[in-house]
Amino acid sequence: MDNIAEEIAKLRRERKAVVLAHNYCRGEVQDIADFTGDSLELARRAAGVDADVIVFCGVYFMAETAAILNPGKTVLVPDETAGCPMADMITAEQLRALKAQHPGAAAVCYVNSTAEVKAECDICVTSGNAERVMKMFPKDREIIFVPDQHLGSHIAGLLGTEYVLWPGYCPTHARLTAKNIEDARAAHPGAQVMVHPECRKDVRDAADERLSTGGMCAFARTSAAKEFIVGTEEGILHRLRGENPEKTFWSAAELRCPNMKKATLEKVRDCLRDMSPQVTVPQEIAVRAKRAIDAMLAI
Ligand code: 13P
Ligand code: SF4
């Protein structure tokens, strides 16, 4: 492990590379990353990167976003099969058909979407900024929100409105049930329960806080509570425990996103050594998708 970390450090210097990692990545990958964060923090970081090469440890749409924001840079992924099943639940063609059924509606996509879908949208959102971004739309504007029905209904509920939703969902968060929350509360009375907005409504309702992964890190840091039940992918526990050694974190259930675990130290080293696999987005798609991402980052 130490040898691989050293090899990565050497290659990183030679390639003038930065390693970005999502909060769900394996602990050892988070530990060697230059920056670990949620989708919004990673998109912001990718937009301002001062390096020739970005190694993106996470899932494919995140690396695509980094490539779109950095046309002159090389974006590498440790494993190009690390997709997000939710992002693949809607195609650009399906979104175009939905837009045709709702002429005049604004099209908003969760950042967990392909570049082709982003290219069809007016703006994108992450779980960390969705409420802030969606507040900008006038109440009477019809809005199509894809692909996550749960984040969409969560934000619509907060803002007292309704969106045209697409039935997409995260298979990992879909496994969390309200009974899991009830059982975890019974086992750890007094713990604060935080869940991701990708969870179903009954699960969100059973929690104390509904937060992006970055929001969970901030909440755990600032809350007076000493114990937390965490309803999201288990990789975040590494960061929560590392940043808050005096606090205790319990998983609400076993939630593992297999794609987020595909980036290993060996694959990080190999992609830096081989400068492959590289993530590229066709120029015509990238230009249109960038408009939706820039609109979000401007808020
Ligand atoms: P965050 O933006 O909250 O990190 O979420 C990303 C994700 O894929 C959740 O499943
Ligand atoms: Fe996609 Fe769910 Fe994995 Fe997040 S946890 S990357 S939404 S499949």
Side-chain angles (χ1 to χ4, degrees), residues 24 59 61-62 83-87 110 112 170-173 198 233 257 259-260:
Y24 294 159
V59 286
F61 75 81
M62 296 178 176
C84 167
M86 169 165 38
Y110 187 22
N112 296 39
C170 164
T172 300
H173 287 89
E198 287 176 15
E233 210 276 346
C257 172
N259 289 293
M260 281 287 185

Side-chain angles (χ1 to χ4, degrees), residues 22 24 38-39 110 112 127 173 196 198 212-213:
H22 187 266
Y24 294 159
D38 71 8
S39 308
Y110 187 22
N112 296 39
S127 55
H173 287 89
H196 199 275
E198 287 176 15
S212 70
T213 61

